[in-house]
Amino acid sequence: MNRISLALFFAPVTLLMLTGCQKGEEQAPPAIRPVLSQIVTPTGLPGSTFAGTVQPKVQTAFGPRTTGLLVARDVDTGDVVRRGQLLATLDPTALELAVGSARADLANAQATLANAVSVERRAKALFKVGTETQAAVESTEQARTAAQASVVQAQAALAKAKEQLSYTQVTAAFDGVVTQTGAEVGQVVAAGAAVVTVARPDERDAVVDVPDGNALLPVGTPFSVTLQINPAMAVSGKVREIAPAADAATRTRRIRIALENPPESFRLGTTITASLKEAAVEQMVLPATAILLRDGKSFVWVVDEGDGTVKSREVITGAALGSGIVVTAGIDAGMRVVTAGVHSLEEGQKVKFENKARS
């Protein structure tokens, strides 16, 4: 009984001690998590030079609109051609026979029409003197109408045959220079196949391949383009087109720079050097470890330097730039963002960071 009494005496004391420990644990402040962070600052892309070539802004591949045997190609690479000039010819024999057949059909239809008109006139004359019936006159009128329709059909068939015959001749649609030939005499060419490629020499581009990061240059970025064989020859140009995706092997993008009034020395195929005129392009670049992907969206943790807490903010990311990622929208310069451990933070969590003044 003494043991039972002692146990009953000490039980409340033990319970109070345990309750006190639990309250102490609940009231303990949460641990402040140390994080790596940086101040967001715009990064200017450095001025760079890139090698490339002069290429036409517009070039067109001309070919036949029908399948046939190529019997003549009147131009070669480098030739200057004029609008309407004959470039190549297919064997026209089969289509010439089709034109002859269509002419014969038209002649037959015209003869039938002439006969139908003559019969109709005689029937109407006999009807006036009472030796022909109304039904016979109507029958001759129907025959004449049918003959007229046959003539129209034969004329359309002849026009179609002549049009198809013209498909055997490939002509230039504009003045230009032949940059490539795609078929040789004696080769069977399919309809639509490229036989001769003609470029407009008046409008030229400088085409360069640049690293994926530098391809963030916006359309309209100014360049200075010089000839590699004569660096003293320089013209200005502006970016007019950027490849939508980087090459999988080289991780470069093709950029076309429209040349402004290039002299004759900037011939097609000439090797050039394109240089950025100024490093005017600035982007917000963050380490890839600072981006948190959640539900198909991108977020960063922004640090409130006043109370030391973090808050998630949705951002829009662009292309990769080395080990970083370009952020095009969602953050402003001067914000402090967490750059590591973004997957283990919570909304409003207290964090500790060092050297607030340094990014």
Side-chain angles (χ1 to χ4, degrees):
M1 293 297 292
N2 291 336
R3 291 179 180 178
I4 294 174
S5 299
L6 290 173
L8 293 175
F9 175 78
F10 285 110
V13 177
T14 303
L15 182 60
L16 290 173
M17 292 176 64
L18 292 174
T19 303
C21 291
Q22 291 176 355
K23 289 183 178 179
E25 291 177 357
E26 291 176 355
Q27 295 174 356
I32 300 177
R33 179 183 176 84
V35 296
L36 296 177
S37 64
Q38 75 172 51
I39 299 294
V40 178
T41 55
T43 301
L45 296 179
S48 303
T49 59
F50 310 99
T53 57
V54 177
Q55 295 185 14
K57 180 179 180 180
V58 177
Q59 61 179 359
T60 304
F62 294 102
R65 297 169 64 181
T66 185
T67 300
L69 177 69
L70 186 66
V71 296
R73 198 192 67 217
D74 302 282
V75 295
D76 289 311
T77 302
D79 290 349
V80 177
V81 298
R82 300 298 178 187
R83 180 178 180 179
Q85 181 176 336
L86 184 64
L87 304 178
T89 305
L90 298 185
D91 183 8
T93 303
L95 295 176
E96 286 176 345
L97 293 174
V99 171
S101 176
R103 283 200 179 102
D105 291 340
L106 177 58
N108 182 55
Q110 289 173 338
T112 301
L113 174 60
N115 182 64
V117 170
S118 178
V119 171
E120 181 186 10
R121 288 174 180 173
R122 288 196 302 269
K124 288 182 177 180
L126 293 174
F127 177 73
K128 289 181 179 180
V129 298
T131 59
E132 190 62 89
T133 62
Q134 180 66 33
V137 173
E138 293 176 353
S139 178
T140 58
E141 290 177 348
Q142 292 175 357
R144 187 258 306 162
T145 302
Q148 286 177 334
S150 296
V151 169
V152 173
Q153 184 178 9
Q155 288 173 339
L158 177 59
K160 180 179 179 180
K162 288 181 178 180
E163 178 70 16
Q164 290 179 337
L165 179 61
S166 69
Y167 294 167
T168 60
Q169 294 186 336
V170 181
T171 59
F174 52 81
D175 298 346
V177 178
V178 177
T179 59
Q180 186 178 357
T181 56
E184 300 296 333
V185 174
Q187 182 177 341
V188 176
V189 181
V195 175
V196 177
T197 302
V198 179
R200 293 181 182 268
D202 51 342
E203 297 183 359
R204 283 160 280 175
D205 288 338
V207 179
V208 296
D209 294 325
V210 304
D212 196 15
N214 292 81
L216 297 170
L217 299 169
V219 172
T221 300
F223 271 83
S224 177
V225 182
T226 60
L227 295 176
Q228 289 193 359
I229 59 174
N230 185 9
M233 296 293 297
V235 296
S236 298
K238 293 182 179 180
V239 175
R240 74 169 184 87
E241 182 181 299
I242 302 175
D247 183 87
T250 62
R251 302 308 304 167
T252 59
R253 297 191 188 219
R254 178 149 293 186
I255 291 181
R256 304 186 74 92
I257 303 169
L259 300 178
E260 299 175 359
N261 300 319
E264 291 297 329
S265 56
F266 281 75
R267 294 186 297 271
L268 299 179
T270 305
T271 305
I272 52 88
T273 299
S275 304
L276 275 170
K277 285 190 172 182
E278 54 186 9
V281 181
E282 292 187 339
Q283 302 283 351
M284 304 288 188
V285 181
L286 294 178
T289 55
I291 306 300
L292 172 65
L293 298 178
R294 186 169 59 196
D295 299 329
K297 299 180 180 179
S298 299
F299 297 85
V300 296
W301 290 105
V302 177
V303 180
D304 186 338
E305 298 190 31
D307 57 10
T309 60
V310 293
K311 183 178 180 180
S312 64
R313 179 185 284 252
E314 184 179 354
V315 295
I316 299 176
T317 58
L321 182 61
S323 61
I325 295 179
V326 174
V327 178
T328 59
I331 57 174
D332 299 320
M335 290 183 173
R336 179 177 290 275
V337 298
V338 178
T339 58
V342 295
H343 297 280
S344 57
L345 294 176
E346 297 179 357
E347 200 75 29
Q349 184 175 350
K350 287 274 189 179
V351 296
K352 178 175 65 176
F353 53 92
E354 297 180 356
N355 199 354
K356 297 182 179 180
R358 186 180 65 187
S359 61

